[in-house]
Every structure is written in C-alpha cells, then in structure tokens.
Amino acid sequence: GGARRYPVSKKIPAGVVPVQAVASGGPAAGLKPLGSAPSNRPDYLLEVPSNWVRQAPKPMQLERFFIPDLPGVEANLSAFPGDTGGLWATVNRWRGQLGLSSLPAGLPVEELPGVTMRVLGGEEEVPTVALEGGGRAIRVVLYSRRDWSWFFKLEGPVKGVQGAEAV
C-alpha cells in the first residue's frame, strides 16, 4: 500500500512501522510519510529533527539525512525482507565497513562487542549497535517487524557520532 500521513496525536495503524530519530535540542519535524512500500514491505513513518537535511538515498537506503549540528554525520533508514543473515552477520558487515576484524561465529547476542539490548518505545527489547574503528563510528537501532528487518543508522567521524543517539 501507499504511505499515508498520520498526525503525531493519532494512533499509528497496525501494519505501519514507526521510526523516530531524536536529537537533543531542537524540535522534531513531525511524522512524515516517506514513500510507498514495494511488494510486501510495510509502509513506514519517519520522525526526524526539523534541522536535518534530506539527501538522495544511497543504494539499499530508503532515506538519508545530513545532520548540520554534527559535521560529517549522516543518518539513514534501510529495510530488508527477512533477517539479513542474522545479527552476527549484520554486525560483522558493519565491522568490515570500519576496518574491524570479523567476530567468531556462534557468539551469543550478549557477547557481541558493541551490541546491547534496549527497550524501544516501551514495547520490546531490540538490539542496538555502537561500533568505532579507523576514526569512524556507527550507531544502529535494529527493528524486526512483519518479516522485515529495519535499520536506523548514524555514521560518520567518531567525534560527531559519539554525541548522537539513534532512538
């Protein structure tokens, strides 16, 4: 189905994936529908601070933003069907992007360096990832819904990303 606008005060309908980015200091731009769902990907709504500047998404990204308060830092949203190979494979892909070595196979989630579980929106625990390497950093919130894996990712220079938090 196509994306629809839902006021912040309205309950988000079942089947629509809410995504929110919160930055300290500065108003949010409000919920905004961003694109229609191809095939079976659920619709999504994205709330970001009003000063974030939308950029053309890179391959495999649904949305991409430049964050003026954090030079060199960008935020992006991606969604893929299935589990993308699982958390271990996903974390190793991001480690590779930062020039870090791969983690050994079979590590339980609680032993994956940089991975913590946290409650998202008071509902359920989701993995969050914080990695640094080669002067760059990545912060990601992973969310699985309706057989899709959603990634809200901040990436850029360590100094810029350290003060940011993906929610």
Side-chain angles (χ1 to χ4, degrees), residues 5-157:
R5 180 177 202 93
Y6 299 100
V8 173
S9 60
K10 183 175 179 174
K11 183 176 178 183
I12 296 173
V16 174
V17 177
V19 182
Q20 181 182 48
V22 177
S24 58
L31 290 174
K32 296 184 178 179
L34 298 172
S36 296
S39 65
N40 67 338
R41 191 192 77 224
D43 287 344
Y44 62 96
L45 300 169
L46 186 65
E47 183 178 2
V48 301
S50 59
N51 67 331
W52 287 18
V53 180
R54 180 173 275 136
Q55 303 290 308
K58 293 178 181 176
M60 298 190 295
Q61 295 177 347
L62 297 172
E63 304 294 336
R64 181 172 159 243
F65 296 89
F66 167 72
I67 306 172
D69 299 341
L70 302 169
V73 176
E74 76 170 45
N76 61 68
L77 173 68
S78 301
F80 302 95
D83 70 359
T84 66
L87 184 58
W88 175 85
T90 300
V91 169
N92 271 335
R93 278 192 293 277
W94 291 327
R95 289 178 63 83
Q97 291 172 9
L98 296 173
L100 301 172
S101 61
S102 292
L103 299 171
L107 283 178
V109 170
E110 59 273 7
E111 293 180 24
L112 291 174
V115 177
T116 57
M117 299 299 289
R118 63 185 274 199
V119 175
L120 177 69
E123 294 182 15
E124 61 189 271
E125 280 194 333
V126 297
T128 61
V129 179
L131 299 171
E132 296 179 6
R136 299 195 52 80
I138 293 175
R139 303 285 187 270
V140 188
V141 174
L142 295 82
Y143 186 65
S144 295
R145 180 65 70 225
R146 294 183 61 199
D147 298 323
W148 280 76
S149 296
W150 298 79
F151 305 99
F152 187 79
K153 183 177 179 184
L154 293 172
E155 57 186 311

